[in-house]
Amino acid sequence: MTSTTVDHTALPGIRSLVTPEGVDLRIRLAPVGDRAIALIMDLLIITGSLLLLTLGLFSMLSQFNFEAFNVTYIIWMLGFFVLRNFYFTFFEAGRRAATPGKRMMGLRVVARDGAALTADSVFARNAMRELELYMPMAFLFSQGQGIEAMITLAAIVWCGIFVLFPLFNRDRLRAGDLIAGTWVLKAPKQVL
């Protein structure tokens, strides 16, 4: 009998992760589609939370003599800022290293060097989301109001680089993953 070895790292989405203890693990990177669905789920959770916050604040403030719309708008903007900047960081810095959307899709964030995921890497990964996701969305929804056409074009090209970045590297990493030294893995729950 002859034994053959298969180079699993040559398979699409399969990588070798050597832990600090020297254990060579074969891991499966999360497909881009699963990551996109998880992001959409998380954005829906954020949007739903903001909607509930808005309705609750507006109904509470309308009972008093406040200008309910202006106060609700200010609090909504603060809530949007907090959720947009800390939702992903809060959940990924936790023990499960996954947002609710990632958990639903069976995904989790890990350090590419096999060490424990640090708060610095989680913060760096999610701070880049501002350039990768929220700036392009802001330009998309602003429709170039009050901005010269060339500046708008330059901004769209700049944001497009970050949006399309995963298409130009082997592991389909976002710029945030590359900077933070992280991977998003497919980690389905094991059934005993």
Side-chain angles (χ1 to χ4, degrees), residues 5-64:
T5 59
V6 177
D7 182 16
H8 293 286
T9 58
L11 298 172
I14 304 295
R15 299 293 177 267
S16 177
L17 175 70
V18 179
T19 65
E21 293 81 15
V23 178
D24 187 9
L25 303 174
R26 300 288 180 223
I27 57 170
R28 183 171 163 224
L29 298 179
V32 175
D34 288 357
R35 292 175 69 177
I37 292 170
L39 176 65
I40 290 168
M41 288 178 177
D42 288 326
L43 292 176
L44 288 173
I45 291 169
I46 290 171
T47 304
S49 300
L50 284 171
L51 183 63
L52 289 175
L53 174 72
T54 303
L55 293 174
L57 282 172
F58 192 74
S59 66
M60 184 179 76
L61 293 174
S62 64
Q63 295 175 359
F64 301 106

Side-chain angles (χ1 to χ4, degrees), residues 146-169:
I147 301 175
E148 296 284 333
M150 290 304 290
I151 295 173
T152 302
L153 179 63
I156 289 172
V157 168
W158 172 257
C159 295
I161 290 169
F162 288 108
V163 170
L164 299 175
F165 193 81
L167 300 177
F168 299 110
N169 61 72

Side-chain angles (χ1 to χ4, degrees), residues 5 11 36 49 53 60 62 73-74 83 87 115 130-131 135 149 157 186:
T5 59
L11 298 172
S49 300
L53 174 72
M60 184 179 76
S62 64
Y73 179 73
I74 291 168
L83 281 173
Y87 172 87
E130 192 70 33
L131 289 175
M135 270 184 59
V157 168
K186 186 74 173 170

